[in-house]
Short mmCIF file of all heavy atoms in Angstrom, two decimals:
data_model
loop_
_atom_site.label_atom_id
_atom_site.label_comp_id
_atom_site.label_asym_id
_atom_site.label_seq_id
_atom_site.Cartn_x
_atom_site.Cartn_y
_atom_site.Cartn_z
N ILE D 20 -56.88 35.92 17.87
CA ILE D 20 -58.14 35.22 17.37
C ILE D 20 -58.61 36.12 16.19
O ILE D 20 -58.73 37.34 16.27
CB ILE D 20 -59.17 35.18 18.47
CG1 ILE D 20 -58.65 34.39 19.65
CG2 ILE D 20 -60.46 34.47 17.96
CD1 ILE D 20 -59.54 34.32 20.87
N ASN D 21 -58.91 35.34 15.00
CA ASN D 21 -59.28 35.94 13.83
C ASN D 21 -60.75 35.73 13.56
O ASN D 21 -61.34 34.68 13.94
CB ASN D 21 -58.38 35.52 12.70
CG ASN D 21 -56.91 35.78 12.86
OD1 ASN D 21 -56.56 37.01 13.14
ND2 ASN D 21 -56.14 34.73 12.97
N CYS D 22 -61.43 36.75 12.85
CA CYS D 22 -62.84 36.65 12.47
C CYS D 22 -62.82 37.21 11.07
O CYS D 22 -62.48 38.33 10.81
CB CYS D 22 -63.60 37.44 13.38
SG CYS D 22 -65.32 37.71 12.98
N SER D 23 -63.43 36.42 10.24
CA SER D 23 -63.51 36.79 8.77
C SER D 23 -64.90 36.74 8.24
O SER D 23 -65.58 35.64 8.50
CB SER D 23 -62.55 35.80 7.87
OG SER D 23 -62.59 36.23 6.65
N SER D 24 -65.33 37.74 7.48
CA SER D 24 -66.71 37.65 6.96
C SER D 24 -66.69 37.86 5.48
O SER D 24 -65.82 38.46 4.87
CB SER D 24 -67.50 38.83 7.51
OG SER D 24 -68.76 39.00 7.05
N SER D 25 -67.70 37.23 4.77
CA SER D 25 -67.73 37.41 3.35
C SER D 25 -68.56 38.58 2.97
O SER D 25 -68.70 38.91 1.73
CB SER D 25 -68.42 36.03 2.73
OG SER D 25 -69.69 35.95 3.30
N LYS D 26 -69.20 39.23 3.93
CA LYS D 26 -70.12 40.41 3.67
C LYS D 26 -69.36 41.70 4.18
O LYS D 26 -68.58 41.66 5.16
CB LYS D 26 -71.33 40.21 4.33
CG LYS D 26 -72.27 39.15 3.79
CD LYS D 26 -73.58 39.13 4.38
CE LYS D 26 -74.53 38.09 3.76
NZ LYS D 26 -74.93 38.50 2.39
N ALA D 27 -69.70 42.75 3.55
CA ALA D 27 -69.24 44.15 4.02
C ALA D 27 -69.73 44.37 5.41
O ALA D 27 -71.02 44.06 5.65
CB ALA D 27 -69.74 45.20 3.00
N LEU D 28 -69.00 44.85 6.19
CA LEU D 28 -69.48 45.06 7.61
C LEU D 28 -69.44 46.47 8.01
O LEU D 28 -68.59 47.26 7.59
CB LEU D 28 -68.45 44.31 8.53
CG LEU D 28 -68.38 42.79 8.27
CD1 LEU D 28 -67.38 42.19 9.22
CD2 LEU D 28 -69.75 42.09 8.58
N TYR D 29 -70.42 46.80 8.95
CA TYR D 29 -70.48 48.12 9.57
C TYR D 29 -69.69 48.06 10.82
O TYR D 29 -69.02 49.08 11.23
CB TYR D 29 -71.95 48.44 9.80
CG TYR D 29 -72.15 49.70 10.54
CD1 TYR D 29 -72.28 50.80 9.77
CD2 TYR D 29 -72.34 49.80 11.87
CE1 TYR D 29 -72.42 52.23 10.36
CE2 TYR D 29 -72.51 51.08 12.56
CZ TYR D 29 -72.53 52.27 11.74
OH TYR D 29 -72.84 53.38 12.32
N SER D 30 -69.74 46.95 11.55
CA SER D 30 -68.95 46.96 12.76
C SER D 30 -68.73 45.39 13.21
O SER D 30 -69.38 44.55 12.64
CB SER D 30 -69.70 47.56 13.96
OG SER D 30 -70.97 46.92 14.17
N VAL D 31 -67.79 45.20 14.09
CA VAL D 31 -67.51 43.94 14.53
C VAL D 31 -67.46 44.01 16.09
O VAL D 31 -66.86 44.97 16.65
CB VAL D 31 -66.08 43.35 14.19
CG1 VAL D 31 -65.85 41.99 14.76
CG2 VAL D 31 -66.12 43.23 12.55
#
Side-chain angles (χ1 to χ4, degrees):
Chain D
I20 300 172
N21 300 303
C22 175
S23 180
S24 174
S25 60
K26 291 185 175 291
L28 299 176
Y29 179 84
S30 65
V31 178

